[in-house]
Amino acid sequence: MRLTSKGRYAVTAMLDLAFHSQLKPVTLIDIAARQTISLSYLEQLFARLRRANLVKGVRGPGGGYSLCGDAHNISIAEIVAAVGERIDSTKCGGEANCQKTHECLTHDLWMDLGDHVKSYLEKITLADLLAKNRVQEVAERQDQHAQQTIEIHNHADLMHTLQ
Amino acid sequence: MRLTSKGRYAVTAMLDLAFHSQLKPVTLIDIAARQTISLSYLEQLFARLRRANLVKGVRGPGGGYSLCGDAHNISIAEIVAAVGERIDSTKCGGEANCQKTHECLTHDLWMDLGDHVKSYLEKITLADLLAKNRVQEVAERQDQHAQQTIEIHNHADLMHTLQ
DNA sequence: ACTTAACCCAGTAAGTTAGTCAACTATTAC
DNA sequence: GTAATAGTTGACTAACTTACTGGGTTAAGT
Ligand code: FES
Ligand code: FES
């Protein structure tokens, strides 16, 4: 098993998307600002999410990304799998061939653990997370903070053009 | 979360130890042969396991390692923790401070997942694994195969001394 | 035309993993 | 005592992955 920032970022970004893309697409620039994730790195992750048909991109002004389908139908397991994180803990990848042709001593243990985690993440959807109070609170705080930084950014731009 | 060969090897070796060290200590050389793990790498892992008081080493001929205490009291979670694998999936390590002073959007999700996996691995002991039929079968197959390779090894030694 | 923002590709610093090599110490057997 | 055994320690390394940067292209809106 290997669940790193890649998977964390992917789920975080998808949750941000679910929260903000009700009306119109959300730009990666906004997500990067709110969640403090590198824009270029987000692009890479969304390339995978798009290939997995979890999001769709719209180009040009007013464009951005929005969810493919309903938040109730997107599980955390799907997102994590889409960006290429292995939930499986085995060395053999389920082939039961660690020792030449035979399984190793602990093959079954890791298989069971993997199944366990997988089913846990499959049962949680974006909608489930979105319904939590804590998530709502954090998202709203982020919106306010992002609004401030945008104002600061615009102010800086203004000063720049005045020079 | 990050569960790699390090944790797999550690648990596999401990299980091998639980299976073979009923009467006398087991050498790392034997474990390395049976489980096809690099001897030097095993030494590093057992240094950590010893520091965590999970095994004790006996030097000299007839020496080797044996379990500290009963197999019923050693959980998989302890072994994995002893070699330094993080079961926790959060970025913050439970501090809830991904975003400067605040928690990130998905903090709770990763905390819950970590707790879930941790309690799963805490409930499984070496004795539990040892009781399984599959594990017994694999261990016996490994014993036979190791016996063969030892004979081949002795044969090679014999030929060598005759030259 | 010009701007916006998705899309695409190449590269890279830092860190981790899995492993090797070499030296040293304690214990037992002869 | 001395030789063999087996644990103990530390430094060092190739290969790989992660997280990230930069530069460029393409499609869409105004
Ligand atoms: S993990 Fe599947 S055979 Fe070892
Ligand atoms: S994972 Fe804990 S705050 Fe982000």
Side-chain angles (χ1 to χ4, degrees), chain A residues 85-159:
Chain A
E85 300 268 71
R86 282 192 60 194
I87 320 122
D88 182 22
S89 302
T90 61
K91 177 182 186 180
C92 62
E95 303 283 318
N97 59 355
C98 271
Q99 302 207 326
K100 300 273 175 63
T101 52
H102 294 85
E103 69 187 287
C104 67
L105 254 192
T106 48
H107 173 78
D108 288 359
L109 172 66
W110 309 124
M111 286 292 281
D112 290 349
L113 174 62
D115 290 347
H116 201 246
V117 173
K118 200 178 164 197
S119 78
Y120 179 80
L121 292 181
E122 272 169 355
K123 286 190 192 108
I124 303 177
T125 68
L126 281 183
D128 292 337
L129 293 182
L130 219 51
K132 290 183 193 284
N133 284 336
R134 282 291 277 287
V135 172
Q136 292 282 337
E137 286 169 25
V138 173
E140 280 161 21
R141 173 172 52 74
Q142 289 176 340
D143 278 355
Q144 288 173 15
H145 185 260
Q147 194 55 41
Q148 285 171 18
T149 57
I150 287 168
E151 279 166 13
I152 291 167
H153 183 256
N154 288 346
H155 184 69
D157 274 1
L158 184 63
M159 297 305 282

Side-chain angles (χ1 to χ4, degrees), chain B residues 27 43 50 58-61 64-65:
Chain B
T27 69
E43 284 171 353
R50 187 164 40 78
V58 179
R59 295 184 178 203
Y65 282 98

Side-chain angles (χ1 to χ4, degrees), chain A residues 14-140:
Chain A
M14 286 292 282
L15 195 54
D16 184 285
L17 204 56
F19 187 79
H20 291 96
S21 72
Q22 319 282 25
L23 302 171
K24 55 179 182 178
V26 178
T27 70
L28 292 187
I29 296 172
D30 286 353
I31 298 180
R34 275 192 295 263
Q35 309 303 333
T36 55
I37 305 173
S38 141
L39 175 60
S40 301
Y41 197 44
L42 265 186
E43 284 175 352
Q44 286 176 49
L45 297 180
F46 271 77
R48 296 206 194 211
L49 294 172
R50 188 165 37 80
R51 269 177 240 137
N53 271 339
L54 293 178
V55 298
K56 52 173 178 286
V58 180
R59 296 187 178 202
Y65 282 96
S66 47
L67 292 182
C68 259
D70 196 89
H72 287 90
N73 296 325
I74 301 179
S75 73
I76 307 304
E78 283 178 279
I79 300 172
V80 167
V83 294
E85 300 268 71
R86 282 192 60 194
I87 320 122
D88 182 22
S89 302
T90 61
K91 177 182 186 180
C92 62
E95 303 283 318
N97 59 355
C98 271
Q99 302 207 326
K100 300 273 175 63
T101 52
H102 294 85
E103 69 187 287
C104 67
L105 254 192
T106 48
H107 173 78
D108 288 359
L109 172 66
W110 309 124
M111 286 292 281
D112 290 349
L113 174 62
D115 290 347
H116 201 246
V117 173
K118 200 178 164 197
S119 78
Y120 179 80
L121 292 181
E122 272 169 355
K123 286 190 192 108
I124 303 177
T125 68
L126 281 183
D128 292 337
L129 293 182
L130 219 51
K132 290 183 193 284
N133 284 336
R134 282 291 277 287
V135 172
Q136 292 282 337
E137 286 169 25
V138 173
E140 280 161 21

Side-chain angles (χ1 to χ4, degrees), chain A residues 8, chain B residues 89-99 102-108 110-111:
Chain A
R8 266 199 304 273
Chain B
S89 302
T90 61
K91 177 181 186 179
C92 61
E95 303 283 317
N97 59 356
C98 270
Q99 301 207 327
H102 293 85
E103 69 187 287
C104 68
L105 253 191
T106 48
H107 174 77
D108 288 357
W110 309 124
M111 286 292 281

